[in-house]
Amino acid sequence: MKIKLVNPNTSAEMTAAIGLAAREVAAPTTVVDAVNPAMGPASVESHYDEALSVPGLLAEIAAGERAGFDGYVIACFGDPGLDAARELARGPVVGIAEAAMRTATHLGRGFSVVTTLARTRGRAWDLVERYGVTRFCRSVHACDIPPLDLHGDAATKTIIEACHAAAAEDGVDAIVLGCAGMADLRAAVLAEVGLPVVDGVQAATLLVESLVTMGLRTGDRSEFAPPPPKPFTGMLRDFGTG
């Protein structure tokens, strides 16, 4: 099985760390290829960043289709371009926010999200509603660390403190890490917080594996059928369909 994990930002360092986290849980026979687009924002910290990350992300999905990948993970907690990617791909496409939140619902009556910047909390709440987990999500906490600054002892300490606060204030059964850049911090947070800690990168990787193993893919009879063929112009001329 071949899974393509796409980090929608252009940070090669973050992509490498995300790939390692995914491979830790993937089956020995599963190949996980972690990539980032050649174009797009250095990190995704706003609606503007998210919108401009989507063309590069979709280019990677299209390339994956040509290379014969079985499924895809979108490794950004905003799940950018998820619906469009599902139109392009033959196999399943899973976003890490959806995978993490749904996984957390299996672990108790409530979870809280610990994310990066406070300005991204609204997007997290939008996805809570979209994925039908409103009654499970108690809160979304921000540690106010930009995605590219998540590593180092000081950042790890701040994230752990935010997780402790979420556990104490919200009375939850699980913590969801709200950024792909936190994937390699899960073990450290788990050791300190003492609650189940869900990383969406690993959750999404295992979910794609399961869907492919069961022979399941996105239904394409209506909304998720391949996009109608048409030409594109200007900077998007190479994205034409058909």
Side-chain angles (χ1 to χ4, degrees), residues 9 20 23-25 45 52 60 72-73 79 95 117 130-131 151 156-157 164 168 174-175 186-187 219:
N9 74 38
L20 286 174
R23 293 182 197 105
E24 283 180 0
V25 297
E45 303 176 25
L52 292 181
E60 289 295 341
Y72 303 86
V73 172
D79 288 355
L117 301 176
R130 168 177 171 164
Y131 298 141
H151 295 90
T156 300
K157 180 181 178 182
H164 274 302
I175 299 293
R186 192 190 76 87

Side-chain angles (χ1 to χ4, degrees), residues 23-215:
R23 293 182 197 105
E24 283 180 0
V25 297
T29 54
T30 297
V31 175
V32 177
D33 187 12
V35 301
N36 54 263
M39 62 176 175
S43 62
V44 178
E45 303 176 25
S46 65
H47 295 296
Y48 185 80
D49 293 341
E50 184 172 306
L52 292 181
S53 74
V54 173
L57 162 70
L58 295 180
E60 289 295 341
I61 300 292
E65 288 297 282
R66 293 191 294 272
F69 279 85
D70 299 295
Y72 303 86
V73 172
I74 296 180
C76 174
F77 203 76
D79 288 355
L82 179 59
D83 290 341
R86 285 174 172 165
E87 290 180 338
L88 290 182
R90 290 184 296 271
V93 184
V94 177
I96 66 168
E98 181 174 16
M101 291 178 186
R102 294 196 189 280
T103 297
T105 67
H106 298 295
L107 304 177
R109 288 187 174 272
F111 67 86
S112 286
V113 176
V114 174
T115 188
T116 53
L117 301 176
R119 67 178 295 160
T120 68
R121 293 175 69 246
R123 176 60 174 163
W125 278 117
D126 287 345
L127 294 178
V128 166
E129 182 176 3
R130 168 177 171 164
Y131 298 141
V133 295
T134 302
R135 75 182 183 91
F136 291 96
C137 186
R138 301 290 183 261
S139 188
V140 179
H141 295 251
C143 61
D144 278 322
I145 302 174
L148 297 183
D149 296 333
L150 286 170
H151 295 90
D153 292 342
T156 300
K157 180 181 178 182
T158 299
I159 294 165
I160 290 171
E161 289 173 350
C163 291
H164 274 302
E169 296 170 15
D170 305 336
V172 293
D173 299 302
I175 299 293
V176 167
L177 298 178
C179 180
M182 294 180 180
D184 59 347
L185 303 179
R186 192 190 76 87
V189 175
L190 177 63
E192 292 290 334
V193 177
L195 291 177
V197 177
V198 182
D199 158 49
V201 171
Q202 294 186 334
T205 299
L206 290 173
L207 183 52
V208 170
E209 269 194 335
S210 297
L211 292 169
V212 172
T213 299
M214 291 186 286

Side-chain angles (χ1 to χ4, degrees), residues 8-24:
N9 74 38
T10 59
S11 169
E13 182 178 3
M14 183 182 291
T15 302
I18 291 170
L20 286 174
R23 293 182 197 105
E24 283 180 0

